[in-house]
Coordinates of all heavy atoms in Angstrom, one line a residue:
R11 N 73.8 89.3 107.2 CA 74.8 88.4 106.5 C 75.1 87.3 107.3 O 75.2 87.3 108.6 CB 76.1 89.3 106.2 CG 75.9 90.5 105.4 CD 77.2 91.0 104.8 NE 78.2 91.5 105.8 CZ 78.4 92.8 106.0 NH1 77.5 93.7 105.5 NH2 79.3 93.1 106.9
V14 N 80.5 84.1 109.3 CA 81.7 83.5 108.7 C 82.8 83.7 109.8 O 82.7 84.4 110.8 CB 82.1 84.0 107.4 CG1 81.0 83.6 106.4 CG2 82.2 85.6 107.4
D15 N 83.9 83.1 109.4 CA 85.1 83.4 110.3 C 85.7 84.8 110.0 O 86.2 85.5 111.0 CB 86.2 82.3 110.1 CG 85.7 81.0 110.5 OD1 85.1 80.8 111.5 OD2 86.0 80.1 109.7
L16 N 85.8 85.2 108.8 CA 86.5 86.4 108.3 C 85.7 87.1 107.3 O 85.3 86.5 106.3 CB 87.9 86.1 107.8 CG 88.8 87.2 107.1 CD1 89.1 88.2 108.3 CD2 89.9 86.6 106.5
E17 N 85.5 88.4 107.5 CA 85.0 89.3 106.4 C 85.9 90.4 106.1 O 86.5 90.9 107.0 CB 83.6 89.9 106.9 CG 82.4 89.0 106.6 CD 81.1 89.8 106.6 OE1 81.1 90.9 107.3 OE2 80.1 89.3 106.1
L18 N 86.1 90.6 104.8 CA 87.0 91.7 104.3 C 86.2 92.7 103.6 O 85.5 92.4 102.6 CB 88.1 91.1 103.5 CG 89.1 90.2 104.2 CD1 90.2 89.8 103.2 CD2 89.9 91.1 105.3
V19 N 86.2 94.0 104.1 CA 85.5 95.1 103.4 C 86.5 95.7 102.4 O 87.7 96.0 102.7 CB 85.1 96.0 104.5 CG1 84.5 97.3 103.8 CG2 84.1 95.4 105.4
V20 N 85.9 95.9 101.2 CA 86.7 96.7 100.2 C 86.0 98.0 99.9 O 85.0 98.0 99.2 CB 87.0 95.9 99.0 CG1 87.9 96.6 98.0 CG2 87.6 94.5 99.3
P21 N 86.4 99.1 100.4 CA 85.7 100.4 100.1 C 86.1 100.7 98.7 O 87.2 100.6 98.3 CB 86.3 101.4 101.1 CG 87.6 100.8 101.4 CD 87.5 99.4 101.4
L36 N 92.2 88.3 95.6 CA 91.7 88.1 97.0 C 90.9 86.8 97.2 O 91.2 86.1 98.1 CB 90.9 89.3 97.4 CG 90.6 89.6 98.9 CD1 91.9 89.7 99.7 CD2 89.8 91.0 98.9
R48 N 84.3 85.9 103.6 CA 83.4 86.7 102.6 C 84.0 88.0 102.4 O 84.6 88.5 103.3 CB 82.0 86.9 103.3 CG 81.0 87.8 102.5 CD 79.8 88.1 103.2 NE 79.0 86.8 103.5 CZ 78.7 86.4 104.7 NH1 79.2 87.1 105.8 NH2 78.1 85.3 105.0
V49 N 83.9 88.5 101.1 CA 84.4 89.8 100.8 C 83.2 90.7 100.6 O 82.2 90.3 100.0 CB 85.2 89.8 99.4 CG1 85.6 91.2 99.0 CG2 86.4 88.9 99.6
V50 N 83.3 91.9 101.2 CA 82.1 92.8 101.2 C 82.6 94.1 100.4 O 83.4 94.8 101.0 CB 81.6 93.3 102.6 CG1 80.5 94.2 102.6 CG2 81.3 92.0 103.4
V51 N 82.2 94.3 99.2 CA 82.5 95.5 98.4 C 81.4 96.6 98.9 O 80.3 96.4 98.6 CB 82.4 95.2 96.9 CG1 82.7 96.5 96.2 CG2 83.5 94.2 96.6
V52 N 82.0 97.7 99.4 CA 81.1 98.8 99.7 C 81.2 99.9 98.6 O 82.3 100.5 98.5 CB 81.4 99.4 101.1 CG1 80.5 100.6 101.4 CG2 81.4 98.3 102.3
K83 N 86.2 107.3 102.8 CA 86.7 105.9 103.1 C 86.3 105.4 104.5 O 85.8 104.3 104.6 CB 88.3 105.9 103.1 CG 88.8 104.6 103.6 CD 90.4 104.7 103.6 CE 90.9 103.5 104.4 NZ 92.4 103.6 104.7
A86 N 82.6 104.4 104.3 CA 82.5 103.1 103.6 C 82.9 102.0 104.5 O 82.3 100.9 104.6 CB 83.3 103.1 102.4
V87 N 84.1 102.1 105.2 CA 84.6 101.1 106.0 C 83.6 100.8 107.2 O 83.3 99.7 107.5 CB 85.9 101.4 106.6 CG1 86.4 100.5 107.7 CG2 87.0 101.3 105.5
R88 N 83.1 101.9 107.7 CA 82.2 101.8 108.9 C 80.9 101.1 108.4 O 80.4 100.2 109.2 CB 81.9 103.3 109.4 CG 81.0 103.3 110.7 CD 80.6 104.6 111.1 NE 81.8 105.2 111.7 CZ 82.6 106.2 111.2 NH1 82.1 106.7 110.0 NH2 83.5 106.8 111.8
R89 N 80.4 101.5 107.3 CA 79.3 100.7 106.8 C 79.4 99.3 106.6 O 78.5 98.5 107.0 CB 78.8 101.4 105.4 CG 77.7 100.7 104.7 CD 76.3 101.3 105.2 NE 75.2 100.8 104.4 CZ 74.6 99.8 104.5 NH1 75.0 98.8 105.4 NH2 73.6 99.4 103.7
G90 N 80.5 98.9 106.1 CA 80.9 97.4 105.9 C 81.0 96.7 107.2 O 80.5 95.6 107.5
I91 N 81.8 97.3 108.2 CA 82.1 96.6 109.4 C 80.9 96.5 110.3 O 80.6 95.5 111.0 CB 83.3 97.3 110.1 CG1 84.6 97.1 109.3 CG2 83.5 96.9 111.6 CD1 85.8 97.7 109.9
A92 N 80.0 97.6 110.3 CA 78.9 97.7 111.3 C 77.9 96.5 111.0 O 77.3 96.1 111.9 CB 78.2 99.0 111.1
S94 N 78.7 93.5 110.0 CA 79.3 92.1 110.2 C 79.0 91.3 111.4 O 78.9 92.0 112.5 CB 80.9 92.3 110.1 OG 81.6 91.1 110.1
A96 N 81.0 88.4 111.7 CA 82.1 87.5 111.6 C 82.9 87.6 112.9 O 82.9 88.6 113.6 CB 83.0 87.8 110.4
R97 N 83.7 86.6 113.1 CA 84.6 86.6 114.3 C 85.7 87.7 114.1 O 85.9 88.4 115.0 CB 85.3 85.3 114.4 CG 86.2 85.2 115.6 CD 87.0 83.9 115.7 NE 87.9 83.8 116.8 CZ 88.9 82.9 117.0 NH1 89.0 81.8 116.1 NH2 89.6 83.0 118.0
F98 N 86.2 87.8 112.8 CA 87.2 88.8 112.5 C 86.7 89.5 111.3 O 86.1 88.9 110.4 CB 88.6 88.2 112.1 CG 89.1 87.3 113.2 CD1 89.6 86.0 113.0 CD2 89.2 87.7 114.6 CE1 90.2 85.2 114.0 CE2 89.7 87.0 115.6 CZ 90.2 85.7 115.3
V99 N 86.9 90.9 111.3 CA 86.5 91.7 110.2 C 87.6 92.7 109.9 O 88.2 93.3 110.9 CB 85.1 92.3 110.4 CG1 85.2 93.1 111.6 CG2 84.7 93.1 109.2
G100 N 87.9 93.1 108.7 CA 88.8 94.0 108.3 C 88.6 94.7 107.1 O 87.6 94.5 106.4
F101 N 89.5 95.6 106.6 CA 89.3 96.2 105.3 C 90.7 96.3 104.5 O 91.7 96.2 105.2 CB 88.7 97.6 105.4 CG 89.5 98.6 106.3 CD1 90.5 99.4 105.7 CD2 89.3 98.7 107.7 CE1 91.2 100.4 106.5 CE2 90.1 99.5 108.4 CZ 91.0 100.5 107.8
V102 N 90.5 96.2 103.2 CA 91.7 96.3 102.4 C 91.5 97.3 101.2 O 90.3 97.5 100.8 CB 92.1 94.9 101.7 CG1 92.4 93.9 102.8 CG2 90.9 94.4 100.8
D103 N 92.5 97.9 100.8 CA 92.3 99.0 99.7 C 92.0 98.2 98.4 O 92.4 97.2 98.2 CB 93.5 99.8 99.6 CG 93.7 100.9 100.7 OD1 92.5 101.2 101.3 OD2 94.7 101.5 100.8
L113 N 97.3 88.2 105.2 CA 96.2 87.9 106.1 C 96.6 86.6 107.0 O 96.1 86.5 108.1 CB 95.1 87.4 105.2 CG 94.2 88.4 104.7 CD1 93.3 87.9 103.6 CD2 93.4 89.1 105.8
A116 N 98.2 88.1 110.0 CA 97.2 88.9 110.7 C 96.2 88.1 111.4 O 95.9 88.4 112.6 CB 96.6 89.9 109.6
V117 N 95.7 87.1 110.8 CA 94.8 86.3 111.5 C 95.3 85.6 112.7 O 94.8 85.4 113.8 CB 94.1 85.2 110.6 CG1 93.2 84.2 111.2 CG2 93.2 86.0 109.6
L120 N 95.4 87.9 115.6 CA 94.1 88.0 116.2 C 93.8 86.8 117.0 O 93.2 86.8 118.2 CB 93.1 88.2 115.1 CG 93.2 89.6 114.3 CD1 92.0 89.5 113.3 CD2 93.1 90.7 115.3
A125 N 93.6 92.8 119.4 CA 92.4 93.4 118.9 C 92.4 93.9 117.5 O 91.4 93.9 116.9 CB 92.0 94.6 119.9
A126 N 93.6 94.2 117.1 CA 93.8 94.7 115.7 C 95.2 94.2 115.2 O 96.1 94.2 115.9 CB 93.8 96.3 115.6
A127 N 95.2 93.8 113.9 CA 96.4 93.4 113.2 C 96.5 94.2 112.0 O 95.7 94.1 111.1 CB 96.4 91.9 112.9
I128 N 97.5 95.1 111.9 CA 97.6 95.9 110.8 C 98.8 95.8 110.0 O 99.8 95.7 110.6 CB 97.4 97.5 111.3 CG1 98.6 97.8 112.2 CG2 96.1 97.6 112.1 CD1 98.5 99.3 112.7
C169 N 98.4 102.4 106.4 CA 98.4 101.3 105.4 C 96.9 100.8 105.3 O 96.3 100.4 106.4 CB 99.3 100.3 105.8 SG 99.6 99.1 104.6
G170 N 96.5 100.6 104.1 CA 95.0 100.2 103.9 C 94.8 98.7 104.0 O 94.2 98.1 103.1
F171 N 95.3 98.1 105.0 CA 95.2 96.5 105.2 C 95.1 96.3 106.7 O 96.2 96.3 107.3 CB 96.4 95.9 104.5 CG 96.1 94.5 104.3 CD1 96.0 93.9 103.1 CD2 96.1 93.5 105.4 CE1 95.8 92.5 102.9 CE2 95.9 92.2 105.2 CZ 95.7 91.7 103.9
K172 N 93.9 96.2 107.2 CA 93.7 96.1 108.7 C 92.7 95.0 108.9 O 91.6 95.0 108.3 CB 93.3 97.4 109.3 CG 94.4 98.5 109.3 CD 93.9 99.8 109.9 CE 95.0 100.9 109.9 NZ 95.4 101.4 108.5
V173 N 92.9 94.2 110.0 CA 91.9 93.2 110.4 C 91.8 93.3 111.8 O 92.8 93.6 112.6 CB 92.4 91.8 110.0 CG1 91.2 90.9 110.2 CG2 92.9 91.8 108.5
F174 N 90.5 93.1 112.3 CA 90.1 93.3 113.7 C 89.4 92.1 114.4 O 88.6 91.4 113.6 CB 89.4 94.6 113.9 CG 89.9 95.8 113.3 CD1 89.6 96.1 112.0 CD2 90.7 96.6 113.9 CE1 90.1 97.2 111.3 CE2 91.3 97.8 113.3 CZ 91.0 98.1 112.0
D175 N 89.5 92.1 115.7 CA 88.4 91.3 116.4 C 87.1 92.0 116.2 O 87.1 93.3 116.5 CB 88.8 91.3 117.9 CG 87.7 90.6 118.7 OD1 87.7 89.4 118.9 OD2 86.8 91.4 119.2
R176 N 86.1 91.4 115.7 CA 84.9 92.2 115.4 C 84.2 93.0 116.5 O 83.8 94.1 116.4 CB 83.9 91.2 114.7 CG 82.7 91.9 114.0 CD 81.4 91.8 114.8 NE 81.1 90.4 115.2 CZ 80.2 90.0 116.0 NH1 79.4 91.0 116.6 NH2 79.9 88.8 116.4
V179 N 86.4 96.1 117.3 CA 86.3 97.2 116.3 C 84.9 97.8 116.3 O 84.7 99.0 116.1 CB 86.8 96.7 114.9 CG1 85.8 95.9 114.3 CG2 87.0 97.9 114.1
Q180 N 83.9 97.0 116.4 CA 82.5 97.6 116.4 C 82.3 98.5 117.6 O 81.6 99.6 117.6 CB 81.4 96.6 116.4 CG 81.4 95.9 115.0 CD 80.3 94.7 114.9 OE1 79.9 94.2 115.9 NE2 79.9 94.4 113.6
L183 N 84.2 101.7 116.8 CA 83.5 102.6 115.8 C 82.4 103.5 116.3 O 82.2 104.6 115.8 CB 83.0 101.6 114.7 CG 84.0 101.1 113.6 CD1 83.4 100.2 112.7 CD2 84.6 102.3 112.9
F193 N 90.8 108.7 109.3 CA 89.9 107.7 110.1 C 90.6 106.7 110.7 O 90.3 106.3 111.8 CB 88.9 107.2 108.9 CG 88.2 105.9 109.3 CD1 87.0 105.9 110.1 CD2 88.7 104.6 108.9 CE1 86.4 104.8 110.5 CE2 88.1 103.5 109.3 CZ 86.9 103.6 110.0
D194 N 91.6 106.1 110.0 CA 92.4 105.0 110.7 C 93.0 105.4 112.0 O 93.2 104.6 113.0 CB 93.5 104.6 109.7 CG 93.1 104.3 108.3 OD1 92.5 105.2 107.7 OD2 93.2 103.1 107.9
L197 N 90.3 105.4 114.7 CA 89.9 104.0 115.0 C 90.9 103.3 115.9 O 90.6 102.7 116.9 CB 89.7 103.3 113.8 CG 89.3 101.8 113.8 CD1 87.9 101.7 114.7 CD2 89.0 101.2 112.4

Side-chain angles (χ1 to χ4, degrees):
R11 301 199 293 262
V14 292
D15 300 313
L16 173 68
E17 275 196 338
L18 290 176
V19 174
V20 183
L36 194 55
R48 178 183 299 117
V49 178
V50 181
V51 176
V52 180
K83 170 189 171 183
V87 170
R88 186 179 288 109
R89 176 81 168 87
I91 290 178
S94 179
R97 180 185 179 192
F98 304 133
V99 60
F101 61 91
V102 301
D103 283 344
L113 278 170
V117 170
L120 296 177
I128 65 175
C169 188
F171 195 111
K172 296 180 173 70
V173 190
F174 309 90
D175 173 90
R176 192 255 308 171
V179 72
Q180 287 180 341
L183 279 174
F193 162 81
D194 307 62
L197 178 57

